[in-house]
Amino acid sequence: MGVRLVVVDDHRLLAEALASALKLRGHRVLAAAAPVAGAAELVVSRAPEVCLLGTAEPAAPGVFDPVVRIKRERPQVAVVVLGPVPSPRGIAAAFAAGASGYVRHDERIEGVERALMKARAGESAVAPQLLRSAFAELLHPSVQPDDEGQRLLRLLTRREVEVLVRVAEGEDTRVIAAGMGIAPSTARTHVQRVLMKLGVGSRLEAAALAARTGLLDRALPGPRGRT
């Protein structure tokens, strides 16, 4: 039986991408919205079983205030946070606020779905390896924070970065091909390679991941991937 849920994220594109993917898997999405600050009002009015709450800054002060209100006014609603890793302070803050789960923002949709199901069942939805990473970071802090956007950018060639930027701007295969002066079949191949390297299943998910990790901000001034 599908989960009745609300999806909120500071990036509307990501909220809509997650909502679409979950609908296709048989779940009932009551609303997909941004920003996270409005999550409490939405959840209180719609009364879902689970709220999937995405945030790029789980360690920021007050980011989980909506979770506190949700648990106060709708204690039966489980909240699953979708956030970056490693972020030990963010994970701790999420659970302290009353969240039932924490999932990596680059997790496949199957992993997000499992977390939603576990949270609805009243279980804690956090992967053991996620906890290990958090504890490792707490015990041995990195000199510099992990830059997911930079890591993803290094996976792509210059041409693939350009393709990703065009995908994020909503261009279809024909327009991408014309803009880059390549055959549509070549453009299609580039798109598929970008999806594969980013570990996503659709153009919408690729665009959302790029926006969430800051990859687009780095790429737009001028593609800087490998040649």
Side-chain angles (χ1 to χ4, degrees):
M1 182 179 177
V3 177
R4 193 174 72 254
L5 73 151
V6 161
V7 180
V8 290
D9 194 281
D10 283 330
H11 291 281
R12 181 172 293 278
L13 183 61
L14 182 55
E16 292 175 352
L18 286 167
S20 296
L22 290 165
K23 284 179 182 179
L24 289 174
R25 300 180 74 84
H27 300 286
R28 184 184 175 193
V29 179
L30 303 179
V36 166
E41 287 79 4
L42 195 57
V43 169
V44 169
S45 65
R46 299 298 181 90
E49 294 175 308
V50 181
C51 171
L52 181 60
L53 185 147
T55 176
E57 298 182 288
V63 71
F64 294 124
D65 286 352
V67 180
V68 175
R69 182 182 167 193
I70 289 170
K71 298 308 293 183
R72 182 177 67 244
E73 299 187 28
R74 293 284 186 181
Q76 73 278 17
V77 176
V79 179
V80 174
V81 174
L82 194 67
V85 176
S87 182
R89 292 182 182 178
I91 294 174
F95 280 96
S100 300
Y102 193 105
V103 184
R104 294 172 60 111
H105 63 64
D106 58 353
E107 177 65 78
R108 288 185 175 277
I109 193 65
E110 293 85 358
V112 176
E113 183 179 39
R114 284 193 297 271
L116 296 176
M117 300 292 282
K118 291 184 70 174
R120 184 180 65 174
E123 302 176 33
S124 178
V126 57
Q129 62 267 30
L130 192 58
L131 287 177
R132 286 196 294 269
S133 296
F135 286 132
E137 175 65 18
L138 285 171
L139 293 171
H140 306 287
S142 300
V143 175
Q144 295 181 337
D146 180 40
D147 189 332
E148 185 70 4
Q150 184 63 44
R151 183 186 70 80
L152 292 174
L153 191 60
R154 285 197 296 266
L155 296 176
L156 306 176
T157 66
R158 289 179 62 88
R159 179 146 287 194
E160 288 165 353
V161 170
E162 182 179 353
V163 167
L164 177 59
V165 170
R166 290 176 178 275
V167 166
E169 291 175 346
E171 296 185 5
D172 59 23
T173 301
R174 179 181 56 79
V175 176
I176 292 173
M180 296 179 66
I182 56 179
S185 59
T186 303
R188 192 174 300 110
T189 297
H190 282 315
V191 170
Q192 290 304 314
R193 286 183 62 82
V194 168
L195 299 185
M196 180 185 68
K197 288 184 177 182
L198 295 183
V200 296
S202 71
R203 297 179 182 218
L204 192 56
E205 288 180 89
L209 178 60
R212 162 62 66 79
T213 59
L215 195 160
L216 287 180
D217 293 335
R218 295 174 179 276
L220 285 171
R224 292 177 292 177
R226 294 178 290 105
T227 56

